[in-house]
Amino acid sequence: MDLSLELFPRHPKGLRLKNPIIAASGTFGYGNEYADMVDATRLGAIVCKGTTLEPRPGNPQPRLLETPSGLLNSIGLQNIGVGAVIRDKAPLWATWPVPVIVNIAGETVDEFGELARRLDGVPGVAAIEVNISCPNVQRGAQEFGADPEQAALVARAVRDATSLPVIVKLTPNVGDIVAVARAVAGSGADALTLTNTLRGMAIDTKRKRPVLGGITGGLSGPALKPVAVAMVYSVYKAVDVPLIGCGGIYTASDALEFLMAGARAVEIGSASILNPDAAVRVIDGLGQWLIEQRVTAVTEIVGIAQGEDRSGVAFYEHH
Ligand SMILES: Cc1cc2nc3c(=O)[nH]c(=O)nc-3n(C[C@H](O)[C@H](O)[C@H](O)COP(=O)(O)O)c2cc1C
């Protein structure tokens, strides 16, 4: 039974993962914080906290709220800044047997390019994941990822600034995810992550005010899973770059849904906040399932739920 895979088959350097389970950005710190609680070296890869050019203090408290089926967060990209990542974290990562992918966030297209340029060639950095769910300050704070053209500009700026593999992480807060995926894949992305959190909010009825310090937040966890699975299923037919599924994965069965829909790998976020061991349990469960089903390689099940139908069921034609 073989859990390994090549994450970037079209990139000259590529990146071999020992299994398809990746720790999602913002839920596993810089990797080292969890060292006492879980054997992080078991993971296929780790994506670090979203990184900006300058350190950021993040949003006012409260920042995290439990809902009946997931988490609402408004962390506001609190992070140590790219300089400290390169100086203090990357040298550590270079000694680890698990690849670390740096998640980046900018306020302008140029900032994304600058972040990628700074990280290019830094030992310990295996790839870049581009978070296009952040507000574009030059466009009235609309998310970069909400507009195919803006999303493509970011992907191109990062592609041109680095020789590292580039993953673009899409936002689900869009009307037509396929259009954004096509634009980004056509602008040099080596893989796409689907998806980031859904925008949401909660009101404190006693105070008659929004609960979260950031007012709105991102919904993750079980409520997000069907949305993200549908997006993976639809985008799989439309682009020829690998997809990484993300949203509400708590168990091996959740991960299998994404793989069968068309994801080559998956990221685990909120589940690790609840239980740092969650991702390792998913790896074990996935291995067990493959043995029981007599599947020799995990790559054999990628996209298997698509069946023979490659005609491209339109994403919003299900009503
Ligand atoms: C507390 C928290 C912080 C997050 N920070 C980031 C971040 O910095 N960059 C990013 O791209 N995604 C961030 N995310 C989104 C996750 O990486 C993931 O895409 C999302 O939570 C959906 O997966 P899940 O349902 O498994 O949590 C964050 C999520 C949470 C819950």
Side-chain angles (χ1 to χ4, degrees):
M1 182 269 301
D2 183 10
L3 280 174
S4 75
L5 66 140
E6 170 54 56
L7 189 56
F8 307 113
R10 293 202 321 188
H11 188 273
K13 283 187 193 145
L15 186 66
R16 191 89 207 153
L17 304 190
K18 54 181 173 286
N19 63 64
I21 309 301
I22 302 171
S25 179
T27 62
F28 214 73
Y30 297 93
N32 54 327
E33 297 91 335
Y34 285 79
D36 294 342
M37 290 178 273
V38 54
D39 182 5
T41 65
R42 294 273 321 275
L43 300 174
I46 295 168
V47 185
C48 81
K49 176 71 199 154
T51 301
T52 50
L53 276 177
E54 300 301 329
R56 282 173 63 118
N59 282 334
Q61 299 284 355
R63 297 170 168 188
L64 205 56
L65 177 73
E66 256 188 86
T67 78
S69 53
L71 295 174
L72 260 180
N73 91 81
S74 69
I75 307 293
L77 290 176
Q78 178 185 15
N79 80 100
I80 61 178
V82 71
V85 165
I86 293 168
R87 190 184 63 234
D88 302 333
K89 304 295 180 186
L92 205 67
W93 297 336
T95 67
W96 291 358
V98 50
V100 178
I101 297 165
V102 176
N103 181 287
I104 61 170
E107 291 186 342
T108 63
V109 172
D110 287 348
E111 271 191 32
F112 278 101
E114 174 67 8
L115 281 157
R117 197 188 57 71
R118 300 264 307 263
L119 291 162
D120 189 39
V122 173
V125 178
I128 291 176
E129 183 180 67
V130 186
N131 173 8
I132 55 171
S133 297
C134 28
N136 181 346
V137 294
Q138 290 165 332
R139 290 279 171 129
Q142 186 197 41
E143 286 180 44
F144 287 97
D147 174 27
E149 229 170 88
Q150 291 296 310
L153 282 178
V154 174
R156 177 53 61 196
V158 173
R159 171 74 291 150
D160 290 348
T162 183
S163 59
L164 287 166
V166 174
I167 307 165
V168 177
K169 182 174 183 179
L170 305 188
T171 170
N173 301 315
V174 295
D176 185 355
I177 193 75
V178 170
V180 182
R182 279 209 179 103
V184 167
S187 300
D190 298 295
L192 307 179
T193 303
L194 293 127
T195 71
N196 213 313
T197 51
L198 269 171
R199 187 179 304 112
M201 76 182 291
I203 306 289
D204 179 338
T205 53
K206 282 204 190 91
R207 287 176 44 246
K208 306 182 183 70
R209 289 287 180 276
V211 173
L212 293 171
I215 305 195
T216 60
L219 180 66
S220 60
L224 178 59
K225 192 182 75 172
V227 176
V229 170
M231 289 186 166
V232 167
Y233 187 86
S234 303
V235 168
Y236 181 78
K237 302 185 193 86
V239 300
D240 59 358
V241 297
L243 307 181
I244 303 171
C246 179
I249 299 174
Y250 286 65
T251 64
S253 168
D254 296 331
L256 278 163
E257 282 197 53
F258 278 94
L259 297 172
M260 290 181 181
R264 182 181 287 249
V266 295
E267 293 182 4
I268 297 187
S270 303
S272 300
I273 297 178
L274 225 64
N275 170 14
D277 218 21
V280 169
R281 288 194 195 180
V282 173
I283 296 167
D284 290 340
L286 190 59
Q288 194 59 41
W289 186 88
L290 293 178
I291 291 167
E292 282 165 16
Q293 298 291 317
R294 301 178 199 280
V295 178
T296 46
V298 71
T299 47
E300 285 173 29
I301 59 167
V302 173
I304 208 164
Q306 302 270 347
E308 297 304 312
D309 176 21
R310 309 288 296 171
S311 58
V313 181
F315 189 57
Y316 289 102
E317 272 178 15
H318 55 273
H319 295 289

